[in-house]
Amino acid sequence: MGRMTQRLRAHRRGDREVTRIETVAVEEPLEIRVASLPERGLPAGGSPLRPPSTTVTTTMRLPGDDFDLALGHLVAEGLVGDGDDIATMMHCTDTGPDGAPTFNVVEVTLAAGVTLRRPVTARTEVATSACGVCGSASVDDLLETLPNSPSTDTAAFPLGAIHAGMAAMRERQRVFDATGGVHAAALLAPDGSVLAVREDIGRHNAVDKVLGWAAREGGLPLRGHALLVSSRAGFEIAQKAAVAGVPVLACVSAATTLSVEVADRSGLTLLGFVREPRATVYTHPERITH
């Protein structure tokens, strides 16, 4: 699996000591930079000069699907609306101590005339894999700027379709199978088919990768869809789902108070403890049928 895993020597202790090779998930930083083109774009034939860029965030992630992660983060942060706001995405030519490319910097160039929809929030330079979206100071702030509220979405999913989607997501978690150390997110279509599955060491990064994929495919807002996540439902996960206009968010583990508040007030159906044959529906249960 390329840069996603490494094989390391480790010692197991217990009844007896065993030295063995373990497969471990790779964790590396990804810096996301954004540059703006002039309103009229580049002159004919382009320009050798690249526009200056601003660092939006640096997050610890599982390498792979970096463009999806970058675009999904910008969408979830409310910095861009969808994939049409983007002209290009590219890995910068950064190198490690050995001189080899690291592919740990993605530069996003906005489409001509497009600017970020709000200033980049001041925050700690490096976000950990558990940090999530730290830019929203409160649920009120989120709801005031919510671009695609799911409150009017009439989508409905049988509980069996949610369980089947979770099982299909689990079957496609290749890095988790090898390491046991990553989360996953998946997008469930209105007909119950799984459209995309992404893995990452951070649950919020896995969600961003799915949202970025949907943005590149022109699928935002995600009306009629369900977002599945192999983790608990925290504020940042519910926030991302609400921003993307997803009407149903289903998580393997428990919900937090803020995630329930976000879901309730934004019109999002939130499920936790989704483990066949049961699930706990915290908000707007009318969308989950038998």
Side-chain angles (χ1 to χ4, degrees), residues 13-47:
R13 300 292 174 85
D15 296 339
R16 60 191 179 92
E17 181 176 341
V18 178
T19 300
R20 54 179 289 171
I21 300 299
E22 294 282 344
T23 301
V24 180
V26 171
E27 181 177 16
E28 292 183 357
L30 180 71
E31 180 183 352
I32 302 172
R33 300 175 184 170
V34 176
S36 299
L37 289 174
E39 186 171 352
R40 294 184 179 180
L42 295 175
S47 168

Side-chain angles (χ1 to χ4, degrees), residues 181-201:
V182 297
H183 285 292
L187 188 62
L188 202 64
D191 64 2
S193 60
V194 175
L195 299 177
V197 176
R198 295 290 186 269
E199 292 183 282
D200 202 274
I201 56 172

Side-chain angles (χ1 to χ4, degrees), residues 1-289:
M1 281 173 272
R3 298 176 62 231
M4 294 183 178
T5 63
Q6 284 187 12
R7 293 175 61 79
L8 306 174
R9 185 179 299 277
H11 303 273
R12 281 198 173 181
R13 300 292 174 85
D15 296 339
R16 60 191 179 92
E17 181 176 341
V18 178
T19 300
R20 54 179 289 171
I21 300 299
E22 294 282 344
T23 301
V24 180
V26 171
E27 181 177 16
E28 292 183 357
L30 180 71
E31 180 183 352
I32 302 172
R33 300 175 184 170
V34 176
S36 299
L37 289 174
E39 186 171 352
R40 294 184 179 180
L42 295 175
S47 168
L49 298 177
R50 292 167 57 187
S53 60
T54 300
T55 296
V56 172
T57 191
T58 301
T59 185
M60 305 306 293
R61 98 306 189 186
L62 175 76
D65 302 304
D66 289 340
F67 293 164
D68 287 346
L69 173 55
L71 179 53
H73 178 83
L74 295 177
V75 168
E77 279 278 288
L79 294 170
V80 303
D82 53 34
D84 291 339
D85 287 344
I86 307 303
T88 62
M89 290 187 285
M90 61 178 289
H91 279 105
C92 292
T93 54
D94 56 308
T95 58
D98 60 355
T102 67
F103 301 101
N104 285 342
V105 179
V106 167
E107 182 161 302
V108 179
T109 302
L110 302 178
V114 173
T115 58
L116 294 179
R117 297 190 172 193
R118 65 168 183 78
V120 176
T121 304
R123 67 176 71 193
T124 304
E125 283 297 315
V126 178
T128 70
S129 60
C131 175
V133 176
C134 309
S136 298
S138 68
V139 178
D140 288 338
D141 291 341
L142 166 64
L143 297 176
E144 286 176 4
T145 59
L146 197 63
N148 301 301
S149 173
S151 59
T152 60
D153 198 314
T154 60
F157 284 88
L159 183 56
I162 301 293
H163 284 136
M166 285 288 191
M169 178 178 73
R170 176 65 186 85
E171 289 177 357
R172 292 165 63 175
Q173 290 181 246
R174 296 187 304 138
V175 180
F176 180 83
D177 285 339
T179 68
V182 297
H183 285 292
L187 188 62
L188 202 64
D191 64 2
S193 60
V194 175
L195 299 177
V197 176
R198 295 290 186 269
E199 292 183 282
D200 202 274
I201 56 172
R203 58 190 182 275
H204 69 281
N205 282 345
V207 170
D208 280 347
K209 288 178 176 180
V210 167
L211 299 186
W213 173 85
R216 286 195 299 106
E217 295 293 316
L220 296 180
L222 289 169
R223 295 185 63 82
H225 293 71
L227 180 64
L228 314 180
V229 187
S230 67
S231 70
R232 70 177 182 273
F235 167 78
E236 74 278 8
I237 302 298
Q239 184 259 1
K240 291 174 185 292
V243 168
V246 178
V248 176
L249 170 62
C251 298
V252 169
S253 297
T256 66
T257 56
L258 274 182
S259 71
V260 173
E261 183 176 355
V262 168
D264 183 46
R265 295 176 61 188
S266 68
L268 172 69
T269 296
L270 174 61
L271 292 81
F273 296 112
V274 181
R275 303 169 187 176
E276 196 169 9
R278 301 178 181 83
T280 300
V281 186
Y282 294 96
T283 58
H284 304 284
E286 64 276 4
R287 292 195 181 101
I288 305 303
T289 61

